[in-house]
Amino acid sequence: MALTNDYIRQRLAEKFGEQVTGFTEPYGMLTFEVPKEMNLKTLQFLFDDEELQFRFLTDLQAVHYPDDKGRELAVVYHLHSFTNNVRLRFKIFTSIETPDVFTATQLYACANWMERETYDFFGVNFIGHPNLKRILNVDEMDYFPMRKEYPMEDQTRVDKDDEMFGRGGTF
Amino acid sequence: MTEEILQHTREHNIKLPDGSIEKQTTTLNLGPTHPATHGVFQNILEVDGERIVSAEPTVGYIHRAFEKIAERRPLYQITPLTDRLNYCSAPINNMGWHMTCEKLLGVQTPKRVDYLRVIIMELSRITDHVICNSVIGVDTGALSVFLYVMQYRELVYEIYEEICGSRLTTNIGRIGGFERNFNATAWQKLEKFLKEFPDALREFENLLQRNRIFVDRTVGAGPISAERALNYGFTGPNLRATGVDYDVRVHTPYCSYQDFEFNVPVGTTGDVYDRWLVRNQEMWESLSIIRQAYQKIQEFKGEEAEVYHANVPEYYLPPKQDVYTKMEALIWHFKIIMGETEIPTGEVWHSVEGGNGELGFYLISDGGRSPYRLHFRRPCFIYYQAYPEMVKNAMLADAVVVMSSLNLIAGEMDA
């Protein structure tokens, strides 16, 4: 029997009850949210379960929502079950003041650099990571450049009028 | 590589007197600009004689902040950024990005567009594999094979030139299809390539596949088990060389790949030789896919035979000569350029089988003109982490061969 999104949802509800929320299916991929303390439990459950077998971490990254107070940073996991050929995505939200999230490196070796990249660009502090330091940016950098408060272009420049390039205002 | 060489002797080569503060191993910087690393990679190796004790890769030398730049660019302007990820197979990245946008915008492409895209993507897979495999030859001491096949990459680049005007960083295609139909010269050049390349590929195989020196250098070098490879997030030929038959084209078909018959070659041991074999076989499969696509395209009749883009004027940039002469084209051009077309909100994951693995795009749109967040899943960034484990206890010369066999592209890794 092919594994359906409804069935995965049902299994998660059985296991974690009310803690798993926000089920949606954008473009066919099951998406849900778990509390940030639960990320490892969720990963482990999806990994170990004999029917689900989500054992491939496709991707891990963060998103910054500056207007969402108390849950500014989202860490997004993309998982793939090769045996069932089903993908899913789940998110955890954390506040930007204490961006502490448990590391997935114990379960997935590939999470090492993905988490370093996420730390490098968003400042998500992965607790228990063996080597959490910058990876793509220079070590001396003292801010997290993918956060929305950092504009892409140098704000001190006066020789360019952004309005003329369709880049001013609300864009 | 024989077993007794692989056995690490516990004794160190450097004998230090008692109480010395010197260490018994040597630190060696391989890269960032070493001719044998084929890109800007730094590896800090601890070597004991010629044996590698540990390796520490450093990446990020050509980081260009594409994800940040993409947050300020409209969708169609992000295509040139994707060129510069894996520049050995830029068209696959371009097509992957177009398909991600089409998924978000709900654009259905006609079959003929899909088949044209398949031709371009498989051609670029061949160029990607040809580079990687011939460079393994170079790193084992056979420069001539590299020069033999390089002229066929040139033929492919000429085909790209006919279609989009550029060669390496192609910016090929548009959201919804292609910027122009394939012209007669492009088809002629494709036929020439299909006719001449198989002989060259056979010759290439003959020169390396059973070559004693090549086999001795590559068999058993840098092996990885299927389980470790999956845990390290391997995809593409490197994963298939370990025996896992995961191919995005088969598992989640995109761009009408379900219409084609092809095999997914797999290896057993996941060493350099298996990776080489898998890539080589994939080139034959790609050739077969191109032939099938060419066949299918010739079966279109009448108006269908001229279709090269979907009929979506609100997203597909009109041809420039129409912009200057036709009112409607001018309006759409203006709307697209000024960001006045409706972009739906939503989050999209789309992945394609890139030259070296699963290339994924994670696009979050808030309805604005440019993405709210765009993340590229760059396959080689993810599997390069396994490099220290793969070269541990190997000889120094193997470090170079293992690196080139992984098909690492600095541009993709550093995004």
Side-chain angles (χ1 to χ4, degrees):
Chain A
M1 191 197 81
L3 191 65
T4 60
N5 286 350
D6 286 339
Y7 184 69
I8 302 170
R9 187 177 167 165
Q10 188 194 326
R11 290 296 308 272
L12 283 162
E14 274 170 24
K15 174 79 183 168
F16 298 112
E18 298 292 301
Q19 287 173 297
V20 186
T21 51
F23 285 100
T24 48
E25 284 183 28
Y27 300 90
M29 192 189 276
L30 183 69
T31 304
F32 56 91
E33 189 195 322
V34 297
K36 73 167 182 176
E37 305 79 27
M38 297 259 301
N39 65 337
L40 280 192
K41 279 185 192 157
T42 313
L43 283 171
Q44 190 76 51
F45 168 71
L46 291 167
F47 190 98
D48 288 340
D49 192 272
E50 281 304 317
E51 274 177 291
L52 305 179
Q53 296 194 29
F54 283 90
R55 292 182 181 168
F56 190 81
L57 180 64
T58 307
D59 208 356
L60 187 166
Q61 71 275 311
V63 191
H64 186 203
Y65 297 101
D67 299 331
D68 207 355
K69 292 285 167 247
R71 29 190 281 142
E72 286 95 344
L73 289 173
V75 180
V76 188
Y77 298 83
H78 280 86
L79 296 173
H80 195 163
S81 165
F82 279 174
T83 42
N84 300 298
N85 193 21
V86 176
R87 292 171 194 266
L88 64 76
R89 159 199 307 140
F90 76 89
K91 301 177 182 180
I92 54 171
F93 286 88
T94 172
S95 75
I96 206 156
E97 287 83 31
T98 51
D100 300 334
V101 170
F102 294 119
T103 175
T105 43
Q106 296 296 321
L107 193 57
Y108 292 108
C110 59
N112 190 327
W113 281 17
M114 296 188 200
E115 287 180 352
R116 276 178 70 184
E117 193 192 10
T118 311
Y119 164 75
D120 193 354
F121 287 102
F122 290 91
V124 178
N125 180 27
F126 288 96
I127 300 167
H129 190 286
N131 185 24
L132 195 65
K133 57 179 191 182
R134 290 191 182 271
I135 185 162
L136 294 181
N137 289 310
V138 287
D139 292 339
E140 294 78 31
M141 202 175 218
D142 56 357
Y143 56 95
F144 301 109
M146 282 292 283
R147 289 187 180 174
K148 292 283 179 189
E149 65 257 38
Y150 300 109
M152 196 184 78
E153 281 156 25
D154 185 359
Q155 294 305 289
T156 58
R157 278 181 71 168
V158 289
D159 56 328
K160 257 167 83 181
D161 184 357
D162 268 356
E163 290 292 336
M164 299 295 181
F165 294 94
R167 290 185 292 214
T170 53
F171 287 127
Chain B
M1 182 63 67
T2 49
E3 275 304 310
E4 64 265 30
I5 302 178
L6 277 173
Q7 291 298 321
H8 189 283
T9 49
R10 293 280 164 222
E11 262 175 48
H12 286 286
N13 286 304
I14 300 177
K15 302 269 184 285
L16 293 173
D18 290 341
S20 168
I21 58 164
E22 298 289 321
K23 52 185 188 147
Q24 289 180 311
T25 54
T26 314
T27 308
L28 185 72
N29 266 302
L30 188 69
T33 52
H34 191 277
T37 56
H38 315 289
V40 203
F41 307 105
Q42 188 190 17
N43 262 295
I44 303 166
L45 303 175
E46 280 297 320
V47 287
D48 174 19
E50 270 201 73
R51 205 178 313 278
I52 296 164
V53 180
S54 71
E56 197 199 336
T58 313
V59 300
Y61 281 95
I62 57 164
H63 173 59
R64 293 144 297 172
F66 284 162
E67 290 173 10
K68 190 75 180 175
I69 297 172
E71 287 179 8
R72 296 270 279 191
R73 282 194 178 191
L75 300 180
Y76 70 94
Q77 283 185 357
I78 294 170
T79 322
L81 298 180
T82 62
D83 286 342
R84 284 141 181 90
L85 292 173
N86 183 349
Y87 40 74
C88 285
S89 54
I92 300 185
N93 310 345
N94 297 157
M95 303 291 167
W97 170 244
H98 296 322
M99 283 183 262
T100 313
C101 295
E102 283 157 13
K103 204 168 176 180
L104 175 75
L105 304 168
V107 175
Q108 282 287 333
T109 47
K111 278 281 175 191
R112 186 166 185 273
V113 172
D114 284 359
Y115 297 154
L116 292 175
R117 282 182 170 176
V118 165
I119 291 183
I120 294 297
M121 285 195 284
E122 294 306 318
L123 281 175
S124 50
R125 194 180 316 285
I126 290 175
T127 55
D128 185 278
H129 287 359
V130 127
I131 301 260
C132 181
N133 268 2
S134 58
V135 161
I136 300 174
V138 172
D139 288 342
T140 51
L143 187 71
S144 48
V145 286
F146 176 73
L147 299 174
Y148 271 167
V149 290
M150 209 39 57
Q151 54 182 318
Y152 294 93
R153 187 180 80 151
E154 179 64 25
L155 287 184
V156 175
Y157 278 7
E158 282 176 16
I159 299 171
Y160 296 166
E161 261 184 315
E162 290 300 325
I163 297 156
C164 68
S166 49
R167 297 158 54 84
L168 186 76
T169 47
T170 48
N171 190 13
I172 198 169
R174 295 280 178 269
I175 295 168
F178 281 90
E179 58 269 50
R180 62 176 74 81
N181 203 349
F182 286 24
N183 59 20
T185 326
W187 289 119
Q188 276 168 13
K189 286 187 169 166
L190 182 68
E191 277 168 22
K192 182 173 147 75
F193 177 79
L194 286 177
K195 196 160 149 276
E196 292 178 6
F197 183 64
D199 290 339
L201 186 54
R202 213 165 287 124
E203 195 173 9
F204 175 71
E205 275 183 355
N206 286 343
L207 282 166
L208 290 180
Q209 197 163 344
R210 300 277 167 202
N211 181 322
R212 179 67 195 272
I213 302 169
F214 183 73
V215 170
D216 279 355
R217 280 297 305 278
T218 53
V219 171
I224 189 160
S225 68
E227 199 186 345
R228 288 305 289 160
L230 284 172
N231 204 254
Y232 266 121
F234 274 50
T235 41
N238 295 334
L239 178 65
R240 290 193 282 275
T242 66
V244 182
D245 60 343
Y246 174 61
D247 188 321
V248 187
R249 293 176 291 174
V250 179
H251 276 69
T252 33
Y254 52 92
C255 202
S256 299
Y257 264 112
Q258 65 277 16
D259 298 356
F260 297 92
E261 285 285 324
F262 59 98
N263 299 320
V264 179
V266 290
T268 48
T269 56
D271 59 5
V272 176
Y273 189 59
D274 272 19
R275 286 195 277 273
W276 187 89
L277 288 177
V278 165
R279 275 197 202 95
N280 230 12
Q281 195 54 40
E282 274 186 18
M283 284 196 262
W284 290 111
E285 298 300 332
S286 291
L287 277 172
S288 143
I289 296 173
I290 295 172
R291 282 203 193 89
Q292 292 173 44
Y294 189 24
Q295 192 75 34
K296 284 176 197 290
I297 283 168
Q298 283 175 328
E299 283 163 14
F300 289 110
K301 293 282 178 287
E303 265 184 37
E304 270 199 331
E306 293 300 318
V307 174
Y308 61 95
H309 64 87
N311 189 17
V312 277
E314 58 271 55
Y315 306 119
Y316 176 79
L317 273 173
K320 204 65 179 204
Q321 64 268 30
D322 287 0
V323 175
Y324 290 131
T325 53
K326 291 181 184 147
M327 195 62 208
E328 199 161 321
L330 175 65
I331 293 170
W332 285 121
H333 179 87
F334 183 80
K335 281 192 141 187
I336 294 168
I337 301 290
M338 297 312 287
E340 308 223 328
T341 49
E342 283 287 317
I343 309 282
T345 57
E347 47 186 321
V348 180
W349 170 266
H350 186 75
S351 55
V352 294
E353 181 70 29
N356 48 5
E358 179 176 353
L359 175 73
F361 299 87
Y362 180 45
L363 168 65
I364 301 181
S365 164
D366 61 348
R369 166 178 199 242
S370 38
Y372 186 78
R373 168 95 168 98
L374 175 63
H375 180 80
F376 303 110
R377 182 203 193 267
R378 290 109 55 207
C380 70
F381 174 78
I382 291 167
Y383 63 64
Y384 187 39
Q385 300 173 59
Y387 183 71
E389 193 173 304
M390 292 166 90
V391 297
K392 197 167 187 189
N393 283 350
M395 304 297 277
L396 183 56
D398 286 348
V400 175
V401 185
V402 172
M403 187 183 274
S404 58
S405 77
L406 284 173
N407 202 357
L408 301 168
I409 312 283
E412 180 176 89
M413 201 179 298
D414 296 351

